[in-house]
Amino acid sequence: MKEKKEHVRNSSFYKFFKEHKKIRICTITVGAIASTFLIVNLGRYVKDVIYNYFVMTQEFYFNSTKLKENNASYSIDYWNGTTDPYTISIDVNSLDNSLKAAKKDIDYKITCTTSSDVDCYMSGTSNTVNGTLLATEEDHTNNHTVTIVPHRTFENVGDKVTVTVTAESTSPFKKTLSANFTLIVGKYGITYSIEDAETQPYLTSTITESQSTCTVTENFGTYRVGDTLSAGAYAGLSAADRKKCVSATITLNFDASKYRLDTTSAIYKSATNVRTQTIDGYNYVNRITFVIGPESSLAIKFYKLDPSVDNSYPIVTNSPVIVMTAE
């Protein structure tokens, strides 16, 4: 043992710290701070676990599809960037699962906050709303709408704003749920979403173009390449000529082994380009390109080979299973 101690004292590591008192003190201090930090955070974690277990034994449940205890984050990559109001649906519920719910009323408040470039409202002109989840309600769920109103137009791809939504139960126990929603301009004027639900046999991709003009890409009638037409003039064109005046060119990519395009749709018939994927000797569409006109909205149906999956975008999934690009 004595030889071992002598070996430690004679080591270069020991000598270095013995000769450099300031470094030794700093190292000890940093180690103590790090240890304290870990202990404090571990203590908070244990406290949260115990508290959550306690409130569950009291049959208290306060949850949300979108808001989470650890502050969920969602990216809405296809935001049109215009000054039009943008809405997000938020639910809160008093469910543990489909068979178990809270047996007491739960009072709560839900608030939205955002940057100086936009306003957000939970109802009317307020960013906060109070509510109660009634134990007597059959679905034990309340739905709220967050309305986001930009102060200005965001035209540059990549421009973004973030809105934070927080729901806090105030009685009989406290619990906080929250989420950040980041709206990002993908192409000015274009918004994109996927509507879906568990057990639903199909999903719907919705594309909206809010710009009020289109650009002529091919000569027709009295119009020449580069001319700009209003939405009213575009509406008066024939189906063939509408392909020659474009607000945006849309491409959808997807895995045909999981999702099948409804080939009876008008989009399929008017497509400018289609690519297929061979599965079990058959060709199925896995990429389609088409043009979209001004002030228009399209709903495109895809059949799901696995109906149990909810592919809703951007809320349930951050990465769309039907990937859109716009030019």
Side-chain angles (χ1 to χ4, degrees):
M1 180 65 72
K2 184 177 180 180
E3 292 178 356
K4 186 175 182 180
K5 289 182 178 179
E6 286 296 326
H7 176 72
V8 171
R9 290 193 186 110
N10 291 328
S11 68
S12 57
F13 183 80
Y14 179 82
K15 289 180 179 179
F16 176 83
F17 276 96
K18 185 178 180 180
E19 294 171 359
H20 297 81
K21 184 177 180 180
K22 290 184 179 179
I23 294 177
R24 184 170 73 248
I25 293 172
C26 289
T27 302
I28 294 171
T29 302
V30 170
I33 293 172
S35 299
T36 302
F37 178 79
L38 291 173
I39 291 171
V40 169
N41 280 276
L42 179 61
R44 288 174 180 170
Y45 173 77
V46 172
K47 179 184 176 182
D48 289 343
V49 169
I50 294 173
Y51 181 76
N52 287 338
Y53 177 76
F54 168 73
V55 297
M56 287 182 66
T57 63
Q58 304 301 305
E59 296 186 308
F60 169 84
Y61 311 109
F62 183 63
N63 298 301
S64 169
T65 302
K66 304 176 180 70
L67 311 181
K68 306 298 177 184
E69 280 191 273
N70 58 353
N71 190 42
S73 294
Y74 303 95
S75 293
I76 301 170
D77 297 317
Y78 300 101
W79 174 47
N80 63 20
T82 69
T83 54
D84 295 335
Y86 187 92
T87 59
I88 300 173
S89 297
I90 301 291
D91 72 283
V92 289
N93 64 73
S94 55
L95 294 166
D96 181 39
N97 54 50
S98 59
L99 300 175
K100 186 184 292 187
K103 295 183 178 180
K104 294 182 179 179
D105 294 350
I106 297 175
D107 296 325
Y108 66 90
K109 67 177 180 179
I110 184 167
T111 304
C112 67
T113 57
T114 187
S115 64
S116 58
D117 285 330
V118 294
D119 288 325
C120 66
Y121 306 104
M122 294 303 308
S123 61
T125 58
S126 174
N127 68 343
T128 301
V129 65
N130 295 311
T132 301
L133 286 162
L134 300 174
T136 54
E137 287 289 338
E138 186 176 349
D139 62 0
H140 299 275
T141 301
N142 288 347
N143 293 296
H144 300 278
T145 299
V146 181
T147 301
I148 303 162
V149 183
H151 295 167
R152 62 181 179 85
T153 296
F154 296 79
E155 294 190 19
N156 298 321
V157 173
D159 281 352
K160 64 180 68 175
V161 297
T162 298
V163 177
T164 300
V165 181
T166 303
E168 182 181 8
S169 62
T170 55
S171 165
F173 299 102
K174 289 188 176 182
K175 182 178 179 180
T176 301
L177 309 171
S178 62
N180 293 326
F181 299 89
T182 301
L183 281 62
I184 306 171
V185 177
K187 176 177 171 57
Y188 176 63
I190 298 287
T191 54
Y192 179 60
S193 63
I194 295 176
E195 298 175 14
D196 195 9
E198 291 182 3
T199 73
Q200 187 170 282
Y202 62 89
L203 60 82
T204 303
S205 291
T206 302
I207 303 165
T208 301
E209 168 62 284
S210 63
Q211 290 194 84
S212 59
T213 61
C214 64
T215 302
V216 175
T217 57
E218 183 181 340
N219 294 340
F220 66 93
T222 59
Y223 300 109
R224 294 295 176 263
V225 173
D227 287 350
T228 299
L229 274 65
S230 67
Y234 175 86
L237 300 177
S238 66
D241 286 342
R242 287 185 181 184
K243 290 185 179 181
K244 303 170 186 176
C245 194
V246 178
S247 287
T249 299
I250 306 295
T251 297
L252 299 178
N253 284 280
F254 50 95
D255 186 347
S257 68
K258 297 180 180 179
Y259 310 97
R260 301 284 168 81
L261 173 69
D262 177 11
T263 53
T264 65
S265 67
I267 289 301
Y268 178 72
K269 295 174 182 177
S270 64
T272 58
N273 187 271
V274 174
R275 189 178 68 187
T276 60
Q277 176 181 348
T278 302
I279 302 172
D280 296 331
Y282 295 92
N283 292 328
Y284 297 95
V285 177
N286 71 343
R287 176 188 173 102
I288 184 169
T289 300
F290 51 89
V291 298
I292 188 171
E295 296 183 356
S296 56
S297 183
L298 302 174
I300 305 163
K301 182 182 291 186
F302 293 83
Y303 295 98
K304 299 156 53 181
L305 272 67
D306 182 1
S308 66
V309 180
D310 184 353
N311 302 285
S312 297
Y313 171 82
I315 301 305
V316 174
T317 59
N318 265 329
S319 298
V321 294
I322 311 298
V323 179
M324 185 203 77
T325 54
E327 298 177 357

